[in-house]
Amino acid sequence: MTDVQEGLFMFAGIDKVRFRRPVVPGDQLIMSVELLWVKKRRFGKMQGRAEVDGQLVSEGELMFSLVD
């Protein structure tokens, strides 16, 4: 685990996102993310995946920032 201070983390952007197939009402969407890096304990990037019934439906990189 990275030494990241506590606080409110806000969504800041996305990169390299691919939508593989539609997700419809009633689907159970399972999302998982892996922390890639954090800079100056203020900004960071994660790799995310979304699956329905074990099949990949979307993936990409998510950026966030810490708000005081």
Side-chain angles (χ1 to χ4, degrees):
M1 176 118 184
T2 304
D3 181 28
V4 178
Q5 68 188 61
E6 291 185 24
L8 178 61
F9 289 88
M10 301 290 287
F11 176 73
I14 58 175
D15 275 336
K16 303 175 187 171
V17 173
R18 297 282 184 240
F19 298 98
R20 306 289 181 189
R21 72 174 187 88
V23 176
V24 297
D27 284 348
Q28 182 180 14
L29 183 67
I30 306 296
M31 298 181 69
S32 59
V33 295
E34 175 186 354
L35 183 62
L36 298 176
W37 52 261
V38 176
K39 288 187 180 177
K40 300 181 183 178
R41 298 183 184 182
R42 303 284 300 167
F43 303 96
K45 186 180 270 191
M46 301 176 287
Q47 175 69 35
R49 294 176 51 92
E51 298 179 353
V52 172
D53 294 329
Q55 294 185 349
L56 182 66
V57 295
S58 184
E59 62 184 333
E61 295 176 351
L62 310 167
M63 281 77 69
F64 62 88
S65 64
L66 177 64
V67 178
D68 289 333

